[in-house]
Amino acid sequence: MNPTCKKRLGAIRLEIMKVVAQEEIAPAIFELVLEGEMVEAMRAGQFLHLRVPDDAHLLRRPISISSIDKANEQCHLIYRIEGAGTAIFSTLSQGDTLDVMGPQGNGFDLSDLDEQSQVLLVGGGIGVPPLLEVAKELYASGVKVVIVLGFATKDAVILEKELAQYGQVFVTTDDGSYGTKGNVSVVIKDLDSQFDAVYSCGAPGMMKYINQTFYDHPRAYLSLESRMACGMGACYACVLKVPESETVSQRVCEDGPVFRTGTVVL
């Protein structure tokens, strides 16, 4: 990597990363592979803040890291086209470059789990990708992993086969077109297990359910999405309230995106 292509702003790293590959893996959902020195610092659950390669779009777009390959300095991002900015990302191909800020956020705490541990992963829709690296690292530590995924319909299902390499996978769809009909709660309520940790990422309704169900669990985590502006905690555009406090708040970009259940108001 050309040393002129990377710099730091305090603890924030900026780097021009190279596009290695990109493909559409489901309708309007793309997997983007980037290469650069920044990969060495990445942890499961963090995100990257990408500059749209078009001067008409001033704000960066936050995208979660799906998987990390430090040996080859590559990372995978999976995103859904939500607007003009992400539509531009979908046109990138091998050899193109992106202005990247990151890795950002606190990520998931995967420490102190081993062969004696059993962990639950819960993902919904485009919230599934951040859990792939979590599953991979837990499996490498010998942890027993149970994975529950929720999607709207069969066409939206992603990463089922990839996650099945690392644990038992249950899939639900709202319309019953694949797997179990209903949302993830249909499966979770019937799981006859005590989990040492819970890791989740998904739509607001799913996160509220996980937050309520595992409110007092000592190791249950929510990875939350939010609209961001600066992505560095300065603008306070992505704040969440803290229970029983009118003055304290948490920033998704800086204090999150991962929070313990019961620590923020959803």
Side-chain angles (χ1 to χ4, degrees):
M1 175 68 65
N2 187 329
T4 63
C5 292
K6 61 186 175 103
K7 59 182 177 179
R8 285 186 175 273
L9 296 177
I12 302 297
R13 183 188 302 223
L14 293 173
E15 184 174 334
I16 304 301
M17 300 186 74
K18 184 173 68 175
V19 174
V20 176
Q22 179 160 228
E23 67 172 320
E24 188 172 12
I25 61 173
I29 298 178
F30 289 78
E31 181 172 19
L32 175 66
V33 184
L34 297 178
E35 181 178 284
E37 293 180 9
M38 186 186 296
V39 175
E40 178 59 33
M42 294 178 183
R43 294 190 299 113
Q46 292 185 302
F47 69 95
L48 301 181
H49 221 194
L50 309 182
R51 182 182 181 278
V52 180
D54 184 324
D55 291 340
H57 300 275
L58 299 179
L59 295 181
R60 292 175 180 264
R61 304 304 195 266
I63 299 182
S64 299
I65 300 166
S66 177
S67 62
I68 304 166
D69 179 358
K70 294 189 177 183
N72 293 304
E73 293 190 333
Q74 294 180 359
C75 65
H76 292 233
L77 311 179
I78 295 177
Y79 65 94
R80 179 171 55 210
I81 294 179
E82 300 281 4
T86 45
I88 291 173
F89 290 149
S90 72
T91 66
L92 298 173
S93 58
Q94 184 179 21
D96 290 334
T97 59
L98 270 176
D99 183 326
V100 180
M101 179 187 294
Q104 293 181 245
N106 55 13
F108 287 109
D109 178 7
L110 306 181
S111 62
D112 302 321
L113 295 167
D114 55 26
E115 294 88 348
Q116 305 303 314
S117 307
Q118 182 167 239
V119 166
L120 174 65
L121 307 186
V122 186
I126 203 63
V128 171
L131 300 178
L132 181 58
E133 181 65 25
V134 176
K136 182 175 71 173
E137 294 187 20
L138 291 175
Y139 178 81
S141 298
V143 177
K144 181 180 179 181
V145 182
V146 177
I147 305 157
V148 183
L149 308 177
F151 302 95
T153 187
K154 180 179 180 179
D155 290 343
V157 176
I158 57 173
L159 299 180
E160 179 188 7
K161 292 181 179 179
E162 290 82 353
L163 285 163
Q165 301 175 81
Y166 308 120
Q168 184 180 15
V169 177
F170 299 90
V171 177
T172 70
T173 52
D174 295 342
D175 62 3
S177 57
Y178 187 76
T180 301
K181 184 176 182 178
N183 58 40
V184 296
S185 66
V186 176
V187 172
I188 292 173
K189 67 181 178 61
D190 289 333
L191 292 177
D192 186 22
S193 300
Q194 292 295 318
F195 295 101
D196 297 288
V198 180
Y199 302 94
S200 64
C201 185
M206 177 184 290
M207 294 298 91
K208 287 182 180 180
Y209 164 74
I210 296 297
N211 192 47
Q212 292 169 358
T213 304
F214 299 98
Y215 194 88
D216 296 320
H217 195 293
R219 293 201 63 174
Y221 302 94
L222 313 162
S223 178
L224 303 178
E225 296 181 351
S226 177
R227 291 186 178 275
M228 299 178 186
C230 73
M232 297 182 290
C235 69
Y236 280 77
C238 59
V239 295
L240 295 170
K241 292 183 178 180
V242 172
E244 302 179 0
S245 175
E246 294 297 325
T247 59
V248 179
S249 61
Q250 295 283 285
R251 299 158 296 178
V252 174
C253 67
E254 186 73 8
D255 303 308
V258 177
F259 298 92
R260 275 189 41 237
T261 53
T263 62
V264 291
V265 178
L266 301 182

